[in-house]
Amino acid sequence: MSTEQITAPGAPSPSGETAARPGPGTGVRADRRRSSLTTRRAFSFYAFAGPWVLGFLALTAFPLGYALWLSLTNSDGLSNNSHFVGLANYREVFTDPETLSSLARTGVFTAISVPLTLAAGLLLAVLVNQPIRARGLFRTLLYLPAVVPPVGAALTFKLIFDRDSGAANGFLDALHIDGVSWLMDPYARWVLITLTLWGAGNAMIVSLAGLQDVPKELYEAARIDGANTWQTFTRITLPLLSPVLFFQVVTGIIAAVQSFLPLLISLDPTPRGVSAVPEGNYLFMIHVFAQYFANGRYGYASAMLWVLFLIIVLITFLVFKLSRGAVFYAVDPEPDKPSRPRTLGGK
Amino acid sequence: MTVQNEWDKKALKAAEDALGMNLNVIIWDPTKLNAMLAAKNPPDVVRGFGATETPYFAARGLMTDLDPYFAKSSALKVSDLDPVNDVWRYDGKKQGAGPRYGMAKDYSQDSMFWYRTDLFEAAKLDAPSATEPISCDEWLDLGKKLVKRRLGKVKVYGLNATGMGVFPQLMGMTASAGGSLFAEDLATVDFSSPEALKALRWYLDYAKADIGPSVSNPNPDGWDGPTYQANRMAMSCNGYWFGGLIGGDPKLAAVSRFAPAPQLGSHRVSSCFGATGFWIPRDAKNKEASWKFFEWYFGGKPAQERAASGWGIPSLTSLRSKMPQTSAFQKQAFQVQEKELPHFSVLSFTPYAQQAALEGVLSKVLPAALKSGTSAGVVADTLNSRMNEQLAQGKELVG
């Protein structure tokens, strides 16, 4: 063994003696090496994390901070005379009837569209999980609409539901039924919900992945115990799928409250086009867009976005709290905490 | 920054060859423009509506004063500019005076209207005069007689009364009744004045009659072109530029005629609500190149080709002779347009709000009023309150 060899303090030496405290020569060298290793590791960490940190600072932290500052001013983005107005914009958010009604409309839209999309995705996932011929083809076809970007899907819907030349009214014409103005009130909100369902392929794929993770032995045991299809679905499939469904509920709510689709299916997706969005589809984000770019109220619109951000945080927190007993985790997410025994179905 | 359809690859290459510079076309998008202006990184030239945008951008100091450029230019002379280019001027108080901030590529008097003789004949109605304007009430009456319905749905619109937006149309009607929608300082609107109320009442009657696109039933096509072409509109309120579309379809041209702007009162006013053209942002980085583009686009070959196309009246008086006058359709449109020109005037737009903001208020207030049958007086009060609130916010920023 060379004198260069390092022996850990307290560890038995090759000669059988316990190593004493490292001597001045070897200990310093070991410390240096350890320190050099730590430095190298730290350097690697910062080198790899650096781009993300820079991206976060430039593209997330700075815009958020700037928007927070804007929300405390009456800025229109273009004039030099904007000034600090304190919390006036936030007070207006909670007193402006139009803002509150658009928020309420967004809540209703979320309450309808999220469960519908979730149910449609789950239903499709269960169907394409069956051992049928050309299963791959069905999966692809059903997922295909979800691959289409929202703008493309909105344009397609605009064409399908166009009053004069759309396929929907063409179909009604063939049945000798008079066509309707689908993109106007009161039909526009149903077109919007249909457009949301158009993207159910995403929910299908996520649910399908969850379905394929359910152990087959559980189904076999249930069959032996005499469980029918519904019982198997509600007692095994749904509980084991609950974390996947929960994930979709959370992300679905966040996406729905930020929905911008109504403007995309309006006549003209510009500040002028905002005025063509029918009342029933005038969601919160459309109002934000109108305040920013039609009314030039950057300050007020920024305050609206901050309020929306806080609402999303609050809803997410509530959903997490309320779902505690309903979501079954195969692996306890909080293993260090004493937890009550969990059973299938969360009971 | 401009619209896409004018700048295909071939046109772009021709422009680059003619100008000896590279052009990077940013597709026109008001949202993107606002963002670029706010970031002080604007395009070198921007397409815009001179009539409604000039006061807003000029009051914020975002436009370049082009007077020094005109002064030294041999291609574009102020003496050759059609009066319509005054909509691109703003002196800090009113539109039509002060520095020139942009130039129109062409223009129209947008309250004039086109009509289809075949639909008039089918309804056994006399065609409108080519020289004397009809009253707005007669216009509405014609629309009611020309509309065709089936099972309660409109199959053929009798009339579209607003080609360039509801707000400018109400401005024009109020002016023809002898009033003004904006106060003299452009900081407030007054829909309650007798003239404005008359215009508002007319529009509510028009929308209630359900004879054409309105705030409560917009045209899904977004503009009149496809609807008019598909025999689904008898009268379309669009200026001379719309003849470019009609002239491209011989069958349509054979049954289409042009008429003077209807008047709500005795004041013969026939304004322009667009005067689409270009301006150079104050923070543009290549102003000399921008001006070179101006000279070529407004005074060179493209301007001559546009003048001959029928898509609008050229904005240089020297190009007026190039307007198409070959076919019977072109001759009729040209003659009606020539007789209308003396009645052109600049209606000042407010610097304190964008047109989209005011249209937004109209589209919120009017449909609800129509549904509930609210009286025009109450609607006027609501519009005054909501629009003036927005204008006050804008004024606070402009100072």
Side-chain angles (χ1 to χ4, degrees), chain B residues 200-242:
Chain B
L200 181 62
R201 198 170 282 134
W202 186 93
Y203 186 79
L204 290 171
D205 286 345
Y206 160 76
K208 216 178 289 171
D210 190 26
I211 57 171
S214 68
V215 282
S216 51
N217 187 30
N219 185 353
D221 292 324
W223 68 300
D224 287 355
T227 323
Y228 185 85
Q229 206 163 14
N231 309 338
R232 292 196 60 251
M233 186 177 282
M235 295 188 287
S236 166
C237 178
N238 279 291
Y240 181 82
W241 70 272
F242 200 63

Side-chain angles (χ1 to χ4, degrees), chain A residues 236-256:
Chain A
I236 296 175
T237 309
L238 271 186
L240 286 178
L241 214 55
S242 57
V244 172
L245 297 177
F246 177 65
F247 162 78
Q248 291 184 72
V249 167
V250 173
T251 53
I253 289 173
I254 292 170

Side-chain angles (χ1 to χ4, degrees), chain A residues 77-295:
Chain A
L78 304 177
S79 308
N80 296 322
N81 291 346
S82 62
H83 55 82
F84 184 76
V85 295
L87 295 175
N89 288 326
Y90 288 91
R91 275 197 293 274
E92 194 179 338
V93 169
F94 292 106
T95 51
D96 180 5
E98 208 170 330
T99 303
L100 293 176
S101 63
S102 69
L103 195 58
R105 220 172 279 123
T106 306
V108 172
F109 168 71
T110 305
I112 295 174
S113 67
V114 172
L116 266 182
T117 311
L118 198 69
L122 182 60
L123 179 68
L124 291 175
V126 170
L127 288 176
V128 297
N129 199 34
Q130 304 303 313
I132 51 169
R133 190 179 291 178
R135 189 166 65 167
L137 178 68
F138 284 117
R139 285 177 180 175
T140 308
L141 289 177
L142 288 169
Y143 183 60
L144 215 52
V147 181
V148 177
V151 178
L155 285 175
T156 308
F157 266 61
K158 199 167 147 181
L159 292 175
I160 292 172
F161 290 102
D162 183 84
R163 183 190 58 192
D164 299 321
S165 56
N169 276 352
F171 178 70
L172 291 179
D173 264 1
L175 298 173
H176 302 289
I177 301 171
D178 211 28
V180 293
S181 300
W182 292 106
L183 299 175
M184 304 296 148
D185 282 328
Y187 303 100
R189 70 193 66 180
W190 297 112
V191 172
L192 177 64
I193 287 171
T194 314
L195 177 56
T196 312
L197 279 173
W198 176 256
N202 271 330
M204 178 195 79
I205 286 290
V206 178
S207 295
L208 185 61
L211 278 177
Q212 291 179 346
D213 231 19
V214 179
K216 299 282 180 288
E217 303 81 44
L218 292 177
Y219 289 124
E220 285 164 12
R223 204 180 307 125
I224 291 165
D225 287 347
N228 61 27
T229 310
W230 180 246
Q231 285 169 327
T232 309
F233 181 71
T234 53
R235 304 284 172 83
I236 296 175
T237 309
L238 271 186
L240 286 178
L241 214 55
S242 57
V244 172
L245 297 177
F246 177 65
F247 162 78
Q248 291 184 72
V249 167
V250 173
T251 53
I253 289 173
I254 292 170
V257 295
Q258 298 180 65
S259 183
F260 203 58
L261 288 171
L263 189 59
L264 298 177
I265 51 173
S266 77
L267 308 176
D268 177 15
T270 66
R272 278 190 182 207
V274 169
S275 61
V277 173
E279 191 73 19
N281 281 356
Y282 197 81
L283 303 183
F284 192 78
M285 283 303 284
I286 305 299
H287 192 43
V288 169
F289 182 79
Q291 294 299 327
Y292 259 118
F293 297 109
N295 296 353

Side-chain angles (χ1 to χ4, degrees), chain B residues 240-256:
Chain B
Y240 181 82
W241 70 272
F242 200 63
L245 169 97
I246 298 170
D249 180 344
K251 280 185 186 168
L252 195 61
V255 297
S256 293

Side-chain angles (χ1 to χ4, degrees), chain A residues 74 76-79 81-83 98 162-164 178 184 267 271-272 275 282 289 293-295 297-298, chain B residues 30-31 34 37-38 49 60 150 153 155 157 218-220 232 355 357 363-364 386 390 393 396-398:
Chain A
N74 66 345
D76 68 350
L78 304 177
S79 308
N81 291 346
S82 62
H83 55 82
E98 208 170 330
D162 183 84
R163 183 190 58 192
D164 299 321
D178 211 28
M184 304 296 148
L267 308 176
R272 278 190 182 207
S275 61
Y282 197 81
F289 182 79
F293 297 109
N295 296 353
R297 299 190 66 196
Y298 282 35
Chain B
T31 313
N34 268 9
L37 289 169
F49 298 109
R60 284 158 180 77
R150 187 164 67 92
K153 301 282 174 198
K155 288 294 160 189
Y157 292 132
N219 185 353
R232 292 196 60 251
Q355 189 192 335
S363 69
K364 286 274 175 294
R386 294 188 58 172
Q390 283 197 348
Q393 284 161 359
E396 194 184 341
L397 286 164
V398 173

Side-chain angles (χ1 to χ4, degrees), chain B residues 41-208:
Chain B
N41 183 30
D44 290 318
V45 288
V46 179
R47 185 183 168 109
F49 298 109
T52 51
E53 292 176 356
T54 305
Y56 186 85
F57 289 123
R60 284 158 180 77
L62 297 166
M63 302 172 110
T64 300
D65 176 359
L66 299 180
D67 284 341
Y69 293 90
F70 275 109
K72 66 180 180 187
S73 175
S74 56
L76 295 172
K77 295 284 178 201
V78 170
S79 57
D80 193 22
L81 293 179
D82 186 284
V84 74
N85 287 292
D86 285 353
V87 302
W88 285 95
R89 300 174 73 182
Y90 182 70
D91 68 358
K93 286 184 179 165
K94 66 173 184 174
Q95 200 170 359
R100 292 183 186 281
Y101 289 110
M103 189 175 161
K105 69 182 180 70
D106 46 43
Y107 75 104
S108 297
Q109 287 166 277
D110 297 300
S111 289
M112 298 175 77
F113 70 99
W114 296 86
Y115 61 93
R116 293 186 57 128
T117 54
D118 54 344
L119 297 178
F120 267 79
E121 282 162 17
K124 297 187 171 48
L125 293 169
D126 291 334
S129 164
T131 51
E132 292 305 313
I134 56 172
S135 72
C136 286
D137 289 340
E138 287 171 318
W139 198 31
L140 183 60
D141 197 40
L142 282 175
K144 286 176 182 172
K145 288 174 179 161
L146 287 161
V147 71
K148 286 184 185 169
R149 304 176 199 273
R150 187 164 67 92
L151 297 171
K153 301 282 174 198
V154 175
K155 288 294 160 189
V156 177
Y157 292 132
L159 160 70
N160 180 13
T162 55
M164 296 290 286
V166 180
F167 192 88
Q169 189 69 15
L170 290 173
M171 274 177 77
M173 283 185 167
T174 306
S176 80
S180 171
L181 211 47
F182 284 115
E184 207 169 325
D185 64 356
L186 302 170
T188 53
V189 289
D190 184 7
F191 280 91
S192 305
S193 71
E195 298 85 5
L197 199 56
K198 198 174 171 189
L200 181 62
R201 198 170 282 134
W202 186 93
Y203 186 79
L204 290 171
D205 286 345
Y206 160 76
K208 216 178 289 171

